[in-house]
Amino acid sequence: MPKFILGIDVGTTSVKAVLLAADSRTVAVASCSLFGIQAKEQDPGLIINALNRCLAQLPRDKLQHVSRVALTGQMHGVLFWTPVEWLLNYLSHSNRDFFTPRDTSQLVTWQDGRCSSDFLSSLPKPESHLGLSTGFGCATIFWYMKHSPEFLENFTVAGTIQDYVVSMLCGLDTCMMTPQNAASWGFFNTATNLWNENILKAAGFPVRLLPRCVPSGALVGQTCSAWHGVPAGTPVGAALGDFQCSVYSCMSAPADAVLNISTSAQLTFAMPADFEPPDSPQPESSISYFPYFDSSYLSVAASLNGGNVLATFVDTLTAWMKELGAELSDSCMYEKLIGCALNQETSDLTVSPTILGERHNPLCLGQVSNISTSNLSLGHVFRALCRGIVSNIVSMMPVERLQQAGVGRILGSGSALTRNEVLRQEVERAFPLEVVYGQNADSAVGAAMVLSDRL
Ligand SMILES: Nc1ncnc2c1ncn2[C@@H]1O[C@H](COP(=O)(O)OP(=O)(O)O)[C@@H](O)[C@H]1O
Ligand SMILES: O=C(CO)[C@@H](O)[C@H](O)[C@H](O)[C@H](O)COP(=O)(O)O
């Protein structure tokens, strides 16, 4: 029986898992929705439950031949936990097929808005080219320090949700974090791959909660018990960032840019190998430079407003319909809305969809304009929403900037894009460049490919 790599993406809306064969062919895929927990805080119990359901969908005979496990997931967020000795022993000596989270906090996600601009500007200046925004792990920890210091006393370890899964699978009593995820927390210097420990210490920050940094693409441990058929002792990679993994899954040439639309949206291209980011943060810029592999960087417009805008519209319609006494499932709603907008090829309705603001402009919220009596059908509104999402990300990373960088092709990825023909049409209209959709373009595949290629 051939060996497989198991790739897992712990996303904001769903958990995805794939089995990748030695020739990089995807032999099985599974996905499980988090059932509407799109909130700023998410319950790790529900996420791990979705993870377990997702793994249970994959063929067990193939899981028994997994040679490595690769994790990726939503960046920026922070979860606190306390590894419990007995639980670790229990996991390492039993053959239980799944684990359930205990002694953890809620996951405070990238969508969290608790840190106001005033609060953020009261914090010390990081020694990093990346600034700090609400929803970034270190900003959230500073917030707890100020508003609820006793809360932090309850925990000994912190990390992203994907780091937590790695720690639990391997029975680690610490958190090992790659620069991809560390950079997403803030106060991390990507030139030295070190936390700004002195600056943080001076500000009274609980530096004991900072994860240990390990290279992106490294292995950090082995599964401490059999898990859904994956044998005990299987090597596990340090968790990677989801947007880097979506890029890794499909970018094949320097002239490629990747547009990923899932809950959020990112438009990104690779910087030349000798690129060095600026010395200090540029908070007004819609473009940032995130670490990729080795010492390379991706230039990225990371929008907070992607598929979540459409999900919010669907949720709003569902709530209105409920009030009116009617019901329709989410999948039925998407199908009908996409159908209506396909019949409405264009619309003069204009939607600026930034309902979560953007990191470079947090106070600029959504707007609808040019409303007339003839453009209020569902087809018009959904078409305008999809166009607005694409226009917003293009305004953050203008086409001229892509062309100056030598980009000749856009690769589309992410399930909000692949499942929505209207969104794809709007992407194709927005770029005077070839747009192709990656066959295997997805973060879970990318994570598995990293462990296949780089070890
Ligand atoms: N039935 C559907 N048809 C089309 N698009 C959908 C459907 N269900 C969800 N979506 C879109 O997919 C997005 C979530 O994509 P997903 O890849 O699961 O996110 P993530 O990787 O962030 O967990 C939602 O925000 C929504 O826009
Ligand atoms: O914000 C950034 C990078 O700065 C995002 O690229 C990053 O993917 C975050 O993980 C997302 O916001 C969450 O990803 P997703 O669940 O939308 O796929």
Side-chain angles (χ1 to χ4, degrees):
M1 185 82 166
K3 292 282 184 191
F4 303 102
I5 298 186
L6 171 63
I8 298 171
D9 172 19
V10 189
T12 314
T13 304
S14 62
V15 176
K16 277 87 53 187
V18 300
L19 285 170
L20 200 74
D23 57 2
S24 288
R25 232 174 359 100
T26 305
V27 292
V29 293
S31 132
C32 266
S33 163
L34 298 177
F35 292 125
I37 51 162
Q38 268 240 28
K40 307 156 176 192
E41 288 194 9
Q42 293 185 333
D43 178 351
L46 296 179
I47 297 175
I48 302 304
N49 182 283
L51 173 65
N52 284 322
R53 284 186 284 120
C54 194
L55 268 281
Q57 286 176 22
L58 291 175
R60 207 174 167 95
D61 60 328
K62 291 195 170 60
L63 285 168
Q64 283 163 346
H65 290 87
V66 162
S67 60
R68 281 169 200 160
V69 182
L71 263 299
T72 183
Q74 49 171 307
M75 298 155 70
H76 305 291
V78 58
L79 173 76
F80 303 91
W81 69 94
T82 305
V84 185
E85 210 56 47
W86 71 260
L87 178 60
L88 296 179
N89 279 333
Y90 170 73
L91 279 169
S92 57
H93 295 303
S94 75
N95 240 358
R96 272 188 72 122
D97 229 11
F98 56 88
F99 68 88
T100 45
R102 291 179 207 194
D103 297 306
T104 75
S105 67
Q106 293 284 92
L107 168 68
V108 182
T109 74
W110 58 274
Q111 300 193 94
D112 187 81
R114 75 187 63 199
C115 299
S116 65
S117 301
D118 282 351
F119 177 76
L120 292 170
S121 50
S122 74
L123 301 179
K125 299 284 156 273
E127 195 193 303
S128 167
H129 72 283
L130 291 163
L132 203 64
S133 294
T134 185
F136 283 25
C138 283
T140 306
I141 296 176
F142 266 120
W143 187 94
Y144 277 116
M145 234 178 85
K146 178 164 179 207
H147 293 95
S148 181
E150 64 292 349
F151 167 85
L152 295 174
E153 297 304 322
N154 296 324
F155 304 102
T156 56
V157 186
T160 65
I161 182 73
Q162 55 273 23
D163 295 320
Y164 171 75
V165 174
V166 168
S167 289
M168 290 301 112
L169 287 181
C170 299
L172 304 176
D173 58 5
T174 55
C175 173
M176 311 275 222
M177 198 185 242
T178 59
Q180 296 182 356
N181 285 315
S184 80
W185 268 23
F187 289 99
F188 183 80
N189 189 307
T190 59
T192 57
N193 283 334
L194 294 171
W195 295 103
N196 295 171
E197 221 169 304
N198 290 337
I199 297 175
L200 291 170
K201 249 188 211 147
F205 184 97
V207 289
R208 64 182 176 86
L209 290 174
L210 290 174
R212 250 184 60 197
C213 187
V214 291
S216 300
L219 296 175
V220 284
Q222 301 182 336
T223 48
C224 60
S225 71
W227 185 55
H228 293 277
V230 176
T234 305
V236 180
L240 298 163
D242 59 359
F243 110 81
Q244 287 91 341
C245 286
S246 73
V247 170
Y248 198 90
S249 71
C250 59
M251 191 190 273
S252 57
D256 289 341
V258 177
L259 174 62
N260 179 75
I261 310 187
S262 38
T263 309
S264 57
Q266 302 88 33
L267 178 55
T268 182
F269 62 87
M271 296 304 285
D274 59 355
F275 169 80
E276 284 179 20
D279 288 338
S280 52
Q282 301 180 307
E284 267 101 59
S285 174
S286 54
I287 295 177
S288 40
Y289 301 101
F290 262 83
Y292 193 39
F293 289 95
D294 306 316
S295 47
S296 68
Y297 287 86
L298 296 172
S299 170
V300 61
S303 170
L304 305 181
N305 303 282
N308 49 359
V309 172
L310 303 179
T312 302
F313 183 62
V314 166
D315 288 349
T316 307
L317 280 182
T318 304
W320 284 354
M321 284 172 55
K322 202 167 168 200
E323 283 183 53
L324 295 169
E327 265 183 52
L328 210 59
S329 72
D330 278 6
S331 55
C332 199
M333 189 88 91
Y334 277 105
E335 198 185 313
K336 286 196 187 300
L337 288 168
I338 291 169
C340 291
L342 285 175
N343 289 330
Q344 184 61 54
E345 278 185 29
T346 58
S347 175
D348 56 355
L349 188 69
T350 305
V351 177
S352 168
T354 53
I355 50 176
L356 288 181
E358 291 293 1
R359 291 184 184 126
H360 66 286
N361 199 357
L363 299 180
C364 183
L365 300 182
Q367 287 180 4
V368 183
S369 58
N370 210 38
I371 304 168
S372 69
T373 48
S374 57
N375 63 15
L376 282 171
S377 66
L378 281 179
H380 272 280
V381 176
F382 201 72
R383 170 69 65 183
L385 268 174
C386 290
R387 196 185 59 226
I389 292 168
V390 177
S391 311
N392 177 55
I393 196 149
V394 174
S395 76
M396 292 172 66
M397 172 78 84
V399 172
E400 301 75 52
R401 180 120 184 191
L402 294 173
Q403 286 170 328
Q404 278 159 14
V407 168
R409 198 165 76 135
I410 306 288
L411 305 177
S413 73
S415 71
L417 194 56
T418 47
R419 285 189 287 179
N420 185 337
E421 196 181 337
V422 184
L423 209 47
R424 289 201 300 277
Q425 286 180 346
E426 292 302 329
V427 169
E428 287 154 29
R429 287 175 191 173
F431 293 101
L433 298 168
E434 185 192 4
V435 179
V436 293
Y437 301 96
Q439 286 303 307
N440 250 343
D442 142 317
S443 302
V445 174
M449 284 168 68
V450 171
L451 289 200
S452 160
D453 295 351
R454 297 179 57 89
L455 288 172

